[in-house]
Amino acid sequence: MHKTLAAALIAATSISTAALAADPDSCKSVRFSDVGWTDIQATTAVAGVVLDALGYTPEVQVLSVPVTYQSLKNKDIDVFLGNWMPSMAADVQPFLDDKSVESISLNLEGAGYGLVVPAYAAEGGVQSLTDIGKFKDKFDAKIYGIEPGNDGNRIVLDMIADPANGLDGFELVESSEAGMLAQAAKAIKNKEWIVFLGWTPHPIMGEMDIAYLDGMGDSGFGAAEVYTNVRAGYTAECPNAGQFIKNLSFTLSMENKIMDDILKGTDPNEAGLAWLKANPDAITPWLAGVTARDGGDAAAAVRAKLGM
């Protein structure tokens, strides 16, 4: 009788463990889009470190914003952690409307996005969008943006095209984030006037003596929030990984620290791992309702990964 009871308990335990492993093998790979922004490199890396500890295989593709949303629609990627709102409303809304993309959570509050100038240019009279055109020669009729296809670039182009803003003859200079920042740093060092896209969080821009311009209206520039997007059906198909992705939330100080390490040459995954080791309590709310992929204890799996 005792042998029969023991066998039953073992069988029950096996069934229970199998039941906890909610995600099928098709969910082992979690495919992220990284649009080339350091903040998204940082958050994607942190998510990937924890997913790896839980038994998943994170995969990251560097894609533009338009290709990201088309790839989510085509089910070629699963997750995008960089839906900056409201500036990206025009990018994401068609995919929300046709229900090919789902916005499942807010992952960052207190962000900012818009056109900035050096403090000395602000003191010289450039405090609003319509002030830029008054100093066309000083700005060399240029506004510096980031990569082609970016939502911020689109907003700037619309601003240039609107006669009410007085930007006739201005051109948008498209570049990478690193290229734009290098141009801005050079201009500021030489006390030259420059107007460029700025955002918070960002460790380099946070150290620059710059001013955000007023008068952005309903363009999408200004205070910002960042949302997590997934392909339609992802959280239903992969409920365990989906719950973890939905739980993710970040802070400005966290992103600034990891971004700073990345910009100084640290591999994003190593920078993310180092931050997690220094701040293990941040992981606890991310694991609510989550197991390891095999049904095991999520916290134990992460502790093992962090060497704790």
Side-chain angles (χ1 to χ4, degrees), residues 232-262:
Y234 179 69
T235 56
E237 296 169 27
C238 306
N240 191 59
Q243 185 62 55
F244 168 72
I245 295 297
K246 187 175 182 179
N247 289 346
L248 288 171
S249 64
F250 312 109
T251 65
L252 296 177
S253 61
M254 167 194 174
E255 293 196 24
N256 270 328
K257 170 56 179 165
I258 301 172
M259 291 167 70
D260 188 44
D261 289 343
I262 293 170

Side-chain angles (χ1 to χ4, degrees), residues 112-226:
Y113 193 30
L115 291 177
V116 300
V117 296
Y120 51 82
E123 293 167 1
V126 186
Q127 299 181 355
S128 181
L129 174 64
T130 53
D131 292 331
I132 297 173
K134 300 173 185 176
F135 301 92
K136 185 175 181 179
D137 290 342
K138 278 185 170 289
F139 287 119
D140 196 24
K142 294 177 181 177
I143 298 175
Y144 289 84
I146 47 179
E147 78 282 347
N150 172 264
D151 57 296
N153 289 6
R154 186 192 65 246
I155 292 171
V156 172
L157 288 171
D158 289 344
M159 289 174 166
I160 291 173
D162 186 347
N165 294 323
L167 296 173
D168 183 53
F170 272 76
E171 67 170 307
L172 172 68
V173 180
E174 295 186 309
S175 180
S176 64
E177 173 191 334
M180 181 193 73
L181 287 173
Q183 185 70 36
K186 178 182 176 182
I188 292 171
K189 180 180 179 180
N190 295 329
K191 293 295 182 182
E192 298 168 350
W193 285 36
I194 186 170
V195 55
F196 61 99
L197 276 176
W199 60 88
T200 304
H202 199 288
I204 291 180
M205 293 186 211
E207 293 298 317
M208 288 179 167
D209 193 7
I210 55 178
Y212 280 85
L213 298 183
D214 295 326
M216 299 297 165
D218 61 358
S219 66
F221 284 160
E225 296 176 329
V226 185

Side-chain angles (χ1 to χ4, degrees), residues 75-125:
K75 300 185 182 296
D76 293 327
I77 61 168
D78 304 308
V79 183
F80 177 46
L81 298 176
N83 176 207
W84 279 66
M85 293 294 282
S87 66
M88 290 175 67
D91 298 284
V92 68
Q93 197 59 50
F95 299 92
L96 297 176
D97 289 344
D98 70 12
K99 302 188 186 306
S100 62
V101 171
E102 299 171 5
S103 185
I104 61 171
S105 60
L106 170 67
N107 69 50
L108 181 69
E109 298 181 271
Y113 193 30
L115 291 177
V116 300
V117 296
Y120 51 82
E123 293 167 1

